[in-house]
């Protein structure tokens, strides 16, 4: 059973790689970003609230995100396992996720830490052109990442297995690196 968290800065390719890994290995893929974008599209109560936050490059409140992830993980216990993408993004989320794992009985989580340099990331995000990919929003997201999300990796240090993956190169090349490291 694969129990994976894909981790890294915005624009590093987490979503692309997570989708491939999930489809090839038959895992449940939970992308909190995708989940929120769907809610925005459907104009649900969550979507209306989340849209402004996302477009500013800020984070949706922890309590909301934790509720979503808890619910999804409880409902989707596939024998092949899961990959989390975009969560946890704060220490609080990471702490609560530990509790959820404990409740469900998940041990031995693997963190796939995808890395790329800041310039490459900035270039990729500008090219992507999502509504939250304006220059100003990107700058804020990268700041939020450094300040609030990057410390999550230290939180996992010594707790779970962390695998560092070079996120530079072609999609297939990076995918192979990941698969070979699992
Ligand atoms: P990227 O990794 O490229 O920044 P995502 O699709 O993961 O994009 O997330 C898009 C936006 O959705 C984030 O900038 C944030 O506003 C919101 N979001 C996604 N996941 C979380 C989370 N775990 N906690 C808070 N906000 C989140």
């Amino acid at each position: 059973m694969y129990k994976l968290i894909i981790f890294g800065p915005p624009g590093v390719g987490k979503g692309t790689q997570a989708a491939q890994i999930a489809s090839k290995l038959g895992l449940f893929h939970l992308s909190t970003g995708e989940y929120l974008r769907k809610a925005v599209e459907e104009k649900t109560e969550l979507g209306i609230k989340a849209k402004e936050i996302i477009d500013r490059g800020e984070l949706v409140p922890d309590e909301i995100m934790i509720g979503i992830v808890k619910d999804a993980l409880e409902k989707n216990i596939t024998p092949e396992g899961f990959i989390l993408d975009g969560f946890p993004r704060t220490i609080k989320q990471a702490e609560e996720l530990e509790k959820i794992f404990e409740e469900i009985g998940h041990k031995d989580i693997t963190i796939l830490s995808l890395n790329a340099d800041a310039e490459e990331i900035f270039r990729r995000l500008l090219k992507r052109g999502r509504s939250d990919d304006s220059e100003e929003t990107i700058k804020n997201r990268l700041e939020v990442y450094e300040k609030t999300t990057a410390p999550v990796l230290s939180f996992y240090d010594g707790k779970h297995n962390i695998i560092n993956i070079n996120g530079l190169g072609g999609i297939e090349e990076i995918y192979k690196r990941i698969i070979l490291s699992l």
Side-chain angles (χ1 to χ4, degrees), residues 8-11 14 31-34 36-37 53-54 57-62 65 85-90 93 125 128 130 132-133 141:
K14 297 187 297 286
S31 158
T32 48
E34 282 300 323
L36 292 171
R37 279 188 289 279
I53 301 173
I54 292 171
E58 302 289 339
L59 295 178
V60 173
D62 285 338
M65 297 314 299
D85 155 18
F87 188 96
R89 251 182 164 91
T90 66
Q93 291 180 11
L125 287 170
R128 190 166 69 179
R130 225 165 56 191
D132 57 340
D133 287 339
R141 280 161 61 202

PDB file of all heavy atoms in Angstrom, residues 8-11 14 31-34 36-37 53-54 57-62 65 85-90 93 125 128 130 132-133 141, ligand 1:
ATOM      1  N   GLY A   8       6.127  20.323  -2.131  1.00  0.00           N
ATOM      2  CA  GLY A   8       7.035  21.211  -2.854  1.00  0.00           C
ATOM      3  C   GLY A   8       6.376  22.534  -3.147  1.00  0.00           C
ATOM      4  O   GLY A   8       5.173  22.696  -2.927  1.00  0.00           O
ATOM      5  N   PRO A   9       7.137  23.488  -3.646  1.00  0.00           N
ATOM      6  CA  PRO A   9       6.598  24.832  -3.911  1.00  0.00           C
ATOM      7  C   PRO A   9       5.552  24.825  -5.029  1.00  0.00           C
ATOM      8  O   PRO A   9       5.511  23.892  -5.829  1.00  0.00           O
ATOM      9  CB  PRO A   9       7.836  25.628  -4.332  1.00  0.00           C
ATOM     10  CG  PRO A   9       8.825  24.612  -4.769  1.00  0.00           C
ATOM     11  CD  PRO A   9       8.564  23.378  -3.983  1.00  0.00           C
ATOM     12  N   PRO A  10       4.733  25.879  -5.083  1.00  0.00           N
ATOM     13  CA  PRO A  10       3.783  25.989  -6.181  1.00  0.00           C
ATOM     14  C   PRO A  10       4.542  25.969  -7.509  1.00  0.00           C
ATOM     15  O   PRO A  10       5.633  26.519  -7.597  1.00  0.00           O
ATOM     16  CB  PRO A  10       3.108  27.344  -5.966  1.00  0.00           C
ATOM     17  CG  PRO A  10       3.809  28.024  -4.868  1.00  0.00           C
ATOM     18  CD  PRO A  10       4.651  27.025  -4.157  1.00  0.00           C
ATOM     19  N   GLY A  11       3.990  25.303  -8.491  1.00  0.00           N
ATOM     20  CA  GLY A  11       4.597  25.307  -9.818  1.00  0.00           C
ATOM     21  C   GLY A  11       5.704  24.290 -10.016  1.00  0.00           C
ATOM     22  O   GLY A  11       6.271  24.181 -11.096  1.00  0.00           O
ATOM     23  N   LYS A  14       3.816  19.264  -8.818  1.00  0.00           N
ATOM     24  CA  LYS A  14       3.205  18.274  -7.908  1.00  0.00           C
ATOM     25  C   LYS A  14       1.954  17.657  -8.525  1.00  0.00           C
ATOM     26  O   LYS A  14       1.781  16.449  -8.510  1.00  0.00           O
ATOM     27  CB  LYS A  14       2.772  18.928  -6.581  1.00  0.00           C
ATOM     28  CG  LYS A  14       3.864  19.506  -5.749  1.00  0.00           C
ATOM     29  CD  LYS A  14       3.325  19.966  -4.397  1.00  0.00           C
ATOM     30  CE  LYS A  14       2.299  21.074  -4.511  1.00  0.00           C
ATOM     31  NZ  LYS A  14       2.886  22.384  -4.860  1.00  0.00           N
ATOM     32  N   SER A  31      -6.147  16.159  -4.583  1.00  0.00           N
ATOM     33  CA  SER A  31      -5.518  17.461  -4.785  1.00  0.00           C
ATOM     34  C   SER A  31      -6.429  18.493  -4.147  1.00  0.00           C
ATOM     35  O   SER A  31      -7.548  18.720  -4.612  1.00  0.00           O
ATOM     36  CB  SER A  31      -5.359  17.749  -6.281  1.00  0.00           C
ATOM     37  OG  SER A  31      -5.234  19.151  -6.490  1.00  0.00           O
ATOM     38  N   THR A  32      -5.952  19.128  -3.080  1.00  0.00           N
ATOM     39  CA  THR A  32      -6.810  20.113  -2.411  1.00  0.00           C
ATOM     40  C   THR A  32      -7.026  21.338  -3.308  1.00  0.00           C
ATOM     41  O   THR A  32      -8.088  21.949  -3.283  1.00  0.00           O
ATOM     42  CB  THR A  32      -6.223  20.534  -1.046  1.00  0.00           C
ATOM     43  OG1 THR A  32      -4.839  20.839  -1.207  1.00  0.00           O
ATOM     44  CG2 THR A  32      -6.394  19.444  -0.022  1.00  0.00           C
ATOM     45  N   GLY A  33      -6.021  21.669  -4.140  1.00  0.00           N
ATOM     46  CA  GLY A  33      -6.175  22.783  -5.079  1.00  0.00           C
ATOM     47  C   GLY A  33      -7.295  22.500  -6.082  1.00  0.00           C
ATOM     48  O   GLY A  33      -8.154  23.343  -6.329  1.00  0.00           O
ATOM     49  N   GLU A  34      -7.284  21.280  -6.646  1.00  0.00           N
ATOM     50  CA  GLU A  34      -8.334  20.883  -7.598  1.00  0.00           C
ATOM     51  C   GLU A  34      -9.697  20.878  -6.924  1.00  0.00           C
ATOM     52  O   GLU A  34     -10.705  21.295  -7.505  1.00  0.00           O
ATOM     53  CB  GLU A  34      -8.045  19.474  -8.158  1.00  0.00           C
ATOM     54  CG  GLU A  34      -6.981  19.423  -9.228  1.00  0.00           C
ATOM     55  CD  GLU A  34      -7.345  20.259 -10.452  1.00  0.00           C
ATOM     56  OE1 GLU A  34      -8.528  20.294 -10.825  1.00  0.00           O
ATOM     57  OE2 GLU A  34      -6.437  20.911 -11.000  1.00  0.00           O
ATOM     58  N   LEU A  36     -10.675  22.654  -4.462  1.00  0.00           N
ATOM     59  CA  LEU A  36     -11.135  24.037  -4.265  1.00  0.00           C
ATOM     60  C   LEU A  36     -11.556  24.671  -5.589  1.00  0.00           C
ATOM     61  O   LEU A  36     -12.565  25.373  -5.649  1.00  0.00           O
ATOM     62  CB  LEU A  36     -10.037  24.872  -3.598  1.00  0.00           C
ATOM     63  CG  LEU A  36      -9.715  24.506  -2.151  1.00  0.00           C
ATOM     64  CD1 LEU A  36      -8.467  25.235  -1.673  1.00  0.00           C
ATOM     65  CD2 LEU A  36     -10.900  24.827  -1.238  1.00  0.00           C
ATOM     66  N   ARG A  37     -10.786  24.410  -6.654  1.00  0.00           N
ATOM     67  CA  ARG A  37     -11.144  24.993  -7.957  1.00  0.00           C
ATOM     68  C   ARG A  37     -12.495  24.492  -8.442  1.00  0.00           C
ATOM     69  O   ARG A  37     -13.260  25.223  -9.049  1.00  0.00           O
ATOM     70  CB  ARG A  37     -10.042  24.730  -8.999  1.00  0.00           C
ATOM     71  CG  ARG A  37      -8.877  25.709  -8.878  1.00  0.00           C
ATOM     72  CD  ARG A  37      -7.881  25.575 -10.016  1.00  0.00           C
ATOM     73  NE  ARG A  37      -7.113  24.350  -9.916  1.00  0.00           N
ATOM     74  CZ  ARG A  37      -6.054  24.190  -9.119  1.00  0.00           C
ATOM     75  NH1 ARG A  37      -5.633  25.176  -8.361  1.00  0.00           N
ATOM     76  NH2 ARG A  37      -5.409  23.045  -9.083  1.00  0.00           N
ATOM     77  N   ILE A  53      -9.664  34.159  -1.606  1.00  0.00           N
ATOM     78  CA  ILE A  53      -8.433  33.776  -0.908  1.00  0.00           C
ATOM     79  C   ILE A  53      -7.401  33.271  -1.917  1.00  0.00           C
ATOM     80  O   ILE A  53      -6.239  33.676  -1.896  1.00  0.00           O
ATOM     81  CB  ILE A  53      -8.740  32.686   0.146  1.00  0.00           C
ATOM     82  CG1 ILE A  53      -9.773  33.198   1.157  1.00  0.00           C
ATOM     83  CG2 ILE A  53      -7.460  32.213   0.835  1.00  0.00           C
ATOM     84  CD1 ILE A  53     -10.279  32.161   2.137  1.00  0.00           C
ATOM     85  N   ILE A  54      -7.849  32.394  -2.808  1.00  0.00           N
ATOM     86  CA  ILE A  54      -6.951  31.804  -3.804  1.00  0.00           C
ATOM     87  C   ILE A  54      -6.388  32.901  -4.712  1.00  0.00           C
ATOM     88  O   ILE A  54      -5.193  32.936  -5.003  1.00  0.00           O
ATOM     89  CB  ILE A  54      -7.686  30.726  -4.634  1.00  0.00           C
ATOM     90  CG1 ILE A  54      -8.024  29.523  -3.744  1.00  0.00           C
ATOM     91  CG2 ILE A  54      -6.855  30.295  -5.843  1.00  0.00           C
ATOM     92  CD1 ILE A  54      -8.925  28.491  -4.399  1.00  0.00           C
ATOM     93  N   GLY A  57      -3.602  34.673  -3.367  1.00  0.00           N
ATOM     94  CA  GLY A  57      -2.414  33.863  -3.114  1.00  0.00           C
ATOM     95  C   GLY A  57      -2.268  33.485  -1.651  1.00  0.00           C
ATOM     96  O   GLY A  57      -1.190  33.120  -1.195  1.00  0.00           O
ATOM     97  N   GLU A  58      -3.377  33.593  -0.915  1.00  0.00           N
ATOM     98  CA  GLU A  58      -3.350  33.227   0.509  1.00  0.00           C
ATOM     99  C   GLU A  58      -3.821  31.786   0.677  1.00  0.00           C
ATOM    100  O   GLU A  58      -4.192  31.127  -0.289  1.00  0.00           O
ATOM    101  CB  GLU A  58      -4.288  34.158   1.299  1.00  0.00           C
ATOM    102  CG  GLU A  58      -3.959  35.636   1.192  1.00  0.00           C
ATOM    103  CD  GLU A  58      -2.682  36.032   1.938  1.00  0.00           C
ATOM    104  OE1 GLU A  58      -2.275  35.287   2.835  1.00  0.00           O
ATOM    105  OE2 GLU A  58      -2.107  37.073   1.581  1.00  0.00           O
ATOM    106  N   LEU A  59      -3.841  31.332   1.924  1.00  0.00           N
ATOM    107  CA  LEU A  59      -4.281  29.961   2.193  1.00  0.00           C
ATOM    108  C   LEU A  59      -5.698  29.946   2.750  1.00  0.00           C
ATOM    109  O   LEU A  59      -6.068  30.797   3.563  1.00  0.00           O
ATOM    110  CB  LEU A  59      -3.346  29.287   3.204  1.00  0.00           C
ATOM    111  CG  LEU A  59      -1.902  29.074   2.748  1.00  0.00           C
ATOM    112  CD1 LEU A  59      -1.096  28.435   3.870  1.00  0.00           C
ATOM    113  CD2 LEU A  59      -1.835  28.213   1.494  1.00  0.00           C
ATOM    114  N   VAL A  60      -6.461  28.977   2.317  1.00  0.00           N
ATOM    115  CA  VAL A  60      -7.808  28.751   2.845  1.00  0.00           C
ATOM    116  C   VAL A  60      -7.628  28.295   4.308  1.00  0.00           C
ATOM    117  O   VAL A  60      -6.675  27.559   4.609  1.00  0.00           O
ATOM    118  CB  VAL A  60      -8.529  27.678   1.981  1.00  0.00           C
ATOM    119  CG1 VAL A  60      -9.856  27.268   2.576  1.00  0.00           C
ATOM    120  CG2 VAL A  60      -8.706  28.215   0.547  1.00  0.00           C
ATOM    121  N   PRO A  61      -8.510  28.738   5.230  1.00  0.00           N
ATOM    122  CA  PRO A  61      -8.301  28.418   6.655  1.00  0.00           C
ATOM    123  C   PRO A  61      -8.117  26.921   6.940  1.00  0.00           C
ATOM    124  O   PRO A  61      -8.759  26.076   6.309  1.00  0.00           O
ATOM    125  CB  PRO A  61      -9.580  28.933   7.321  1.00  0.00           C
ATOM    126  CG  PRO A  61     -10.072  30.011   6.429  1.00  0.00           C
ATOM    127  CD  PRO A  61      -9.669  29.612   5.037  1.00  0.00           C
ATOM    128  N   ASP A  62      -7.240  26.654   7.889  1.00  0.00           N
ATOM    129  CA  ASP A  62      -6.899  25.273   8.245  1.00  0.00           C
ATOM    130  C   ASP A  62      -8.112  24.410   8.569  1.00  0.00           C
ATOM    131  O   ASP A  62      -8.209  23.270   8.105  1.00  0.00           O
ATOM    132  CB  ASP A  62      -5.960  25.270   9.469  1.00  0.00           C
ATOM    133  CG  ASP A  62      -4.541  25.679   9.109  1.00  0.00           C
ATOM    134  OD1 ASP A  62      -4.173  25.568   7.925  1.00  0.00           O
ATOM    135  OD2 ASP A  62      -3.814  26.108  10.016  1.00  0.00           O
ATOM    136  N   MET A  65      -9.811  23.149   5.479  1.00  0.00           N
ATOM    137  CA  MET A  65      -9.029  22.181   4.710  1.00  0.00           C
ATOM    138  C   MET A  65      -8.931  20.847   5.438  1.00  0.00           C
ATOM    139  O   MET A  65      -8.998  19.779   4.826  1.00  0.00           O
ATOM    140  CB  MET A  65      -7.617  22.728   4.447  1.00  0.00           C
ATOM    141  CG  MET A  65      -7.570  23.991   3.609  1.00  0.00           C
ATOM    142  SD  MET A  65      -8.611  23.950   2.145  1.00  0.00           S
ATOM    143  CE  MET A  65      -7.908  22.585   1.236  1.00  0.00           C
ATOM    144  N   ASP A  85      -1.839  15.769  -2.429  1.00  0.00           N
ATOM    145  CA  ASP A  85      -1.177  16.774  -3.264  1.00  0.00           C
ATOM    146  C   ASP A  85      -1.733  18.160  -2.884  1.00  0.00           C
ATOM    147  O   ASP A  85      -2.909  18.420  -3.057  1.00  0.00           O
ATOM    148  CB  ASP A  85      -1.457  16.344  -4.720  1.00  0.00           C
ATOM    149  CG  ASP A  85      -1.406  17.447  -5.743  1.00  0.00           C
ATOM    150  OD1 ASP A  85      -0.834  18.499  -5.464  1.00  0.00           O
ATOM    151  OD2 ASP A  85      -1.945  17.221  -6.849  1.00  0.00           O
ATOM    152  N   GLY A  86      -0.887  18.974  -2.290  1.00  0.00           N
ATOM    153  CA  GLY A  86      -1.326  20.314  -1.865  1.00  0.00           C
ATOM    154  C   GLY A  86      -1.713  20.372  -0.392  1.00  0.00           C
ATOM    155  O   GLY A  86      -2.149  21.405   0.098  1.00  0.00           O
ATOM    156  N   PHE A  87      -1.537  19.294   0.293  1.00  0.00           N
ATOM    157  CA  PHE A  87      -1.874  19.185   1.715  1.00  0.00           C
ATOM    158  C   PHE A  87      -0.903  18.212   2.370  1.00  0.00           C
ATOM    159  O   PHE A  87      -0.638  17.168   1.785  1.00  0.00           O
ATOM    160  CB  PHE A  87      -3.307  18.668   1.861  1.00  0.00           C
ATOM    161  CG  PHE A  87      -3.820  18.702   3.290  1.00  0.00           C
ATOM    162  CD1 PHE A  87      -4.580  19.761   3.742  1.00  0.00           C
ATOM    163  CD2 PHE A  87      -3.520  17.666   4.167  1.00  0.00           C
ATOM    164  CE1 PHE A  87      -5.046  19.798   5.053  1.00  0.00           C
ATOM    165  CE2 PHE A  87      -3.973  17.698   5.475  1.00  0.00           C
ATOM    166  CZ  PHE A  87      -4.746  18.764   5.913  1.00  0.00           C
ATOM    167  N   PRO A  88      -0.370  18.508   3.537  1.00  0.00           N
ATOM    168  CA  PRO A  88      -0.572  19.699   4.355  1.00  0.00           C
ATOM    169  C   PRO A  88       0.275  20.876   3.890  1.00  0.00           C
ATOM    170  O   PRO A  88       1.363  20.698   3.344  1.00  0.00           O
ATOM    171  CB  PRO A  88      -0.122  19.231   5.733  1.00  0.00           C
ATOM    172  CG  PRO A  88       0.902  18.188   5.469  1.00  0.00           C
ATOM    173  CD  PRO A  88       0.508  17.519   4.192  1.00  0.00           C
ATOM    174  N   ARG A  89      -0.232  22.068   4.134  1.00  0.00           N
ATOM    175  CA  ARG A  89       0.454  23.291   3.730  1.00  0.00           C
ATOM    176  C   ARG A  89       0.820  24.156   4.930  1.00  0.00           C
ATOM    177  O   ARG A  89       1.442  25.206   4.752  1.00  0.00           O
ATOM    178  CB  ARG A  89      -0.484  24.095   2.827  1.00  0.00           C
ATOM    179  CG  ARG A  89      -0.096  24.131   1.363  1.00  0.00           C
ATOM    180  CD  ARG A  89      -1.113  24.995   0.653  1.00  0.00           C
ATOM    181  NE  ARG A  89      -0.695  25.421  -0.634  1.00  0.00           N
ATOM    182  CZ  ARG A  89      -0.931  24.778  -1.770  1.00  0.00           C
ATOM    183  NH1 ARG A  89      -1.545  23.613  -1.752  1.00  0.00           N
ATOM    184  NH2 ARG A  89      -0.558  25.280  -2.910  1.00  0.00           N
ATOM    185  N   THR A  90       0.432  23.744   6.111  1.00  0.00           N
ATOM    186  CA  THR A  90       0.807  24.461   7.341  1.00  0.00           C
ATOM    187  C   THR A  90       1.155  23.400   8.395  1.00  0.00           C
ATOM    188  O   THR A  90       0.748  22.234   8.268  1.00  0.00           O
ATOM    189  CB  THR A  90      -0.358  25.315   7.897  1.00  0.00           C
ATOM    190  OG1 THR A  90      -1.408  24.433   8.331  1.00  0.00           O
ATOM    191  CG2 THR A  90      -0.938  26.268   6.853  1.00  0.00           C
ATOM    192  N   GLN A  93      -1.982  21.920   9.804  1.00  0.00           N
ATOM    193  CA  GLN A  93      -2.550  20.882   8.932  1.00  0.00           C
ATOM    194  C   GLN A  93      -1.774  19.578   9.086  1.00  0.00           C
ATOM    195  O   GLN A  93      -2.362  18.493   9.120  1.00  0.00           O
ATOM    196  CB  GLN A  93      -2.524  21.330   7.469  1.00  0.00           C
ATOM    197  CG  GLN A  93      -3.492  22.464   7.156  1.00  0.00           C
ATOM    198  CD  GLN A  93      -3.464  22.907   5.695  1.00  0.00           C
ATOM    199  OE1 GLN A  93      -2.868  22.259   4.834  1.00  0.00           O
ATOM    200  NE2 GLN A  93      -4.124  24.018   5.410  1.00  0.00           N
ATOM    201  N   LEU A 125       5.107  29.175 -13.498  1.00  0.00           N
ATOM    202  CA  LEU A 125       3.807  29.670 -13.025  1.00  0.00           C
ATOM    203  C   LEU A 125       3.271  30.757 -13.957  1.00  0.00           C
ATOM    204  O   LEU A 125       2.079  30.773 -14.280  1.00  0.00           O
ATOM    205  CB  LEU A 125       3.921  30.205 -11.594  1.00  0.00           C
ATOM    206  CG  LEU A 125       4.083  29.145 -10.516  1.00  0.00           C
ATOM    207  CD1 LEU A 125       4.431  29.786  -9.190  1.00  0.00           C
ATOM    208  CD2 LEU A 125       2.818  28.311 -10.361  1.00  0.00           C
ATOM    209  N   ARG A 128       1.844  29.188 -17.003  1.00  0.00           N
ATOM    210  CA  ARG A 128       0.640  28.373 -16.792  1.00  0.00           C
ATOM    211  C   ARG A 128      -0.636  29.201 -16.975  1.00  0.00           C
ATOM    212  O   ARG A 128      -1.606  28.720 -17.539  1.00  0.00           O
ATOM    213  CB  ARG A 128       0.695  27.770 -15.376  1.00  0.00           C
ATOM    214  CG  ARG A 128      -0.343  26.729 -15.120  1.00  0.00           C
ATOM    215  CD  ARG A 128      -0.026  25.948 -13.876  1.00  0.00           C
ATOM    216  NE  ARG A 128      -0.165  26.744 -12.669  1.00  0.00           N
ATOM    217  CZ  ARG A 128       0.031  26.276 -11.444  1.00  0.00           C
ATOM    218  NH1 ARG A 128       0.415  25.034 -11.277  1.00  0.00           N
ATOM    219  NH2 ARG A 128      -0.135  27.036 -10.388  1.00  0.00           N
ATOM    220  N   ARG A 130      -3.039  30.347 -14.916  1.00  0.00           N
ATOM    221  CA  ARG A 130      -4.284  30.142 -14.178  1.00  0.00           C
ATOM    222  C   ARG A 130      -4.703  31.481 -13.577  1.00  0.00           C
ATOM    223  O   ARG A 130      -3.885  32.396 -13.509  1.00  0.00           O
ATOM    224  CB  ARG A 130      -3.989  29.121 -13.066  1.00  0.00           C
ATOM    225  CG  ARG A 130      -5.028  28.046 -12.913  1.00  0.00           C
ATOM    226  CD  ARG A 130      -4.515  26.903 -12.091  1.00  0.00           C
ATOM    227  NE  ARG A 130      -4.025  27.298 -10.768  1.00  0.00           N
ATOM    228  CZ  ARG A 130      -3.348  26.491  -9.971  1.00  0.00           C
ATOM    229  NH1 ARG A 130      -3.066  25.270 -10.354  1.00  0.00           N
ATOM    230  NH2 ARG A 130      -2.952  26.908  -8.784  1.00  0.00           N
ATOM    231  N   ASP A 132      -4.972  32.399 -10.676  1.00  0.00           N
ATOM    232  CA  ASP A 132      -4.137  32.790  -9.536  1.00  0.00           C
ATOM    233  C   ASP A 132      -2.656  32.804  -9.925  1.00  0.00           C
ATOM    234  O   ASP A 132      -1.785  32.721  -9.073  1.00  0.00           O
ATOM    235  CB  ASP A 132      -4.385  31.882  -8.315  1.00  0.00           C
ATOM    236  CG  ASP A 132      -4.145  30.411  -8.610  1.00  0.00           C
ATOM    237  OD1 ASP A 132      -4.155  30.018  -9.793  1.00  0.00           O
ATOM    238  OD2 ASP A 132      -3.945  29.647  -7.661  1.00  0.00           O
ATOM    239  N   ASP A 133      -2.390  32.930 -11.219  1.00  0.00           N
ATOM    240  CA  ASP A 133      -1.008  32.955 -11.690  1.00  0.00           C
ATOM    241  C   ASP A 133      -0.581  34.335 -12.197  1.00  0.00           C
ATOM    242  O   ASP A 133       0.290  34.439 -13.060  1.00  0.00           O
ATOM    243  CB  ASP A 133      -0.790  31.890 -12.789  1.00  0.00           C
ATOM    244  CG  ASP A 133      -0.761  30.474 -12.221  1.00  0.00           C
ATOM    245  OD1 ASP A 133      -0.515  30.327 -11.014  1.00  0.00           O
ATOM    246  OD2 ASP A 133      -0.979  29.526 -12.986  1.00  0.00           O
ATOM    247  N   ARG A 141       2.215  33.896  -3.260  1.00  0.00           N
ATOM    248  CA  ARG A 141       2.166  32.450  -3.003  1.00  0.00           C
ATOM    249  C   ARG A 141       3.541  31.905  -2.658  1.00  0.00           C
ATOM    250  O   ARG A 141       3.673  31.028  -1.803  1.00  0.00           O
ATOM    251  CB  ARG A 141       1.590  31.715  -4.214  1.00  0.00           C
ATOM    252  CG  ARG A 141       0.077  31.810  -4.233  1.00  0.00           C
ATOM    253  CD  ARG A 141      -0.486  31.510  -5.585  1.00  0.00           C
ATOM    254  NE  ARG A 141      -0.162  30.171  -6.012  1.00  0.00           N
ATOM    255  CZ  ARG A 141      -0.156  29.797  -7.301  1.00  0.00           C
ATOM    256  NH1 ARG A 141      -0.442  30.663  -8.223  1.00  0.00           N
ATOM    257  NH2 ARG A 141       0.121  28.567  -7.609  1.00  0.00           N
TER     258      ARG A 141
HETATM  259  P1  LIG B   1      -0.034  25.312  -6.471  1.00  0.00           P
HETATM  260  O1  LIG B   1       0.607  24.189  -5.728  1.00  0.00           O
HETATM  261  O2  LIG B   1       0.409  25.397  -7.884  1.00  0.00           O
HETATM  262  O3  LIG B   1       0.075  26.613  -5.744  1.00  0.00           O
HETATM  263  P2  LIG B   1      -2.676  24.251  -5.787  1.00  0.00           P
HETATM  264  O4  LIG B   1      -3.605  23.783  -6.838  1.00  0.00           O
HETATM  265  O5  LIG B   1      -2.063  23.214  -4.891  1.00  0.00           O
HETATM  266  O6  LIG B   1      -1.584  25.084  -6.570  1.00  0.00           O
HETATM  267  O7  LIG B   1      -3.397  25.320  -4.844  1.00  0.00           O
HETATM  268  C1  LIG B   1      -4.013  26.481  -5.330  1.00  0.00           C
HETATM  269  C2  LIG B   1      -4.505  27.350  -4.179  1.00  0.00           C
HETATM  270  O8  LIG B   1      -5.528  26.651  -3.413  1.00  0.00           O
HETATM  271  C3  LIG B   1      -3.451  27.724  -3.129  1.00  0.00           C
HETATM  272  O9  LIG B   1      -2.676  28.841  -3.512  1.00  0.00           O
HETATM  273  C4  LIG B   1      -4.336  28.001  -1.889  1.00  0.00           C
HETATM  274  O10 LIG B   1      -4.938  29.270  -1.944  1.00  0.00           O
HETATM  275  C5  LIG B   1      -5.438  26.947  -2.012  1.00  0.00           C
HETATM  276  N1  LIG B   1      -5.087  25.700  -1.285  1.00  0.00           N
HETATM  277  C6  LIG B   1      -4.811  24.485  -1.829  1.00  0.00           C
HETATM  278  N2  LIG B   1      -4.499  23.591  -0.895  1.00  0.00           N
HETATM  279  C7  LIG B   1      -4.567  24.237   0.297  1.00  0.00           C
HETATM  280  C8  LIG B   1      -4.334  23.872   1.653  1.00  0.00           C
HETATM  281  N3  LIG B   1      -3.945  22.635   1.982  1.00  0.00           N
HETATM  282  N4  LIG B   1      -4.500  24.816   2.608  1.00  0.00           N
HETATM  283  C9  LIG B   1      -4.867  26.059   2.307  1.00  0.00           C
HETATM  284  N5  LIG B   1      -5.112  26.482   1.060  1.00  0.00           N
HETATM  285  C10 LIG B   1      -4.961  25.593   0.060  1.00  0.00           C
END
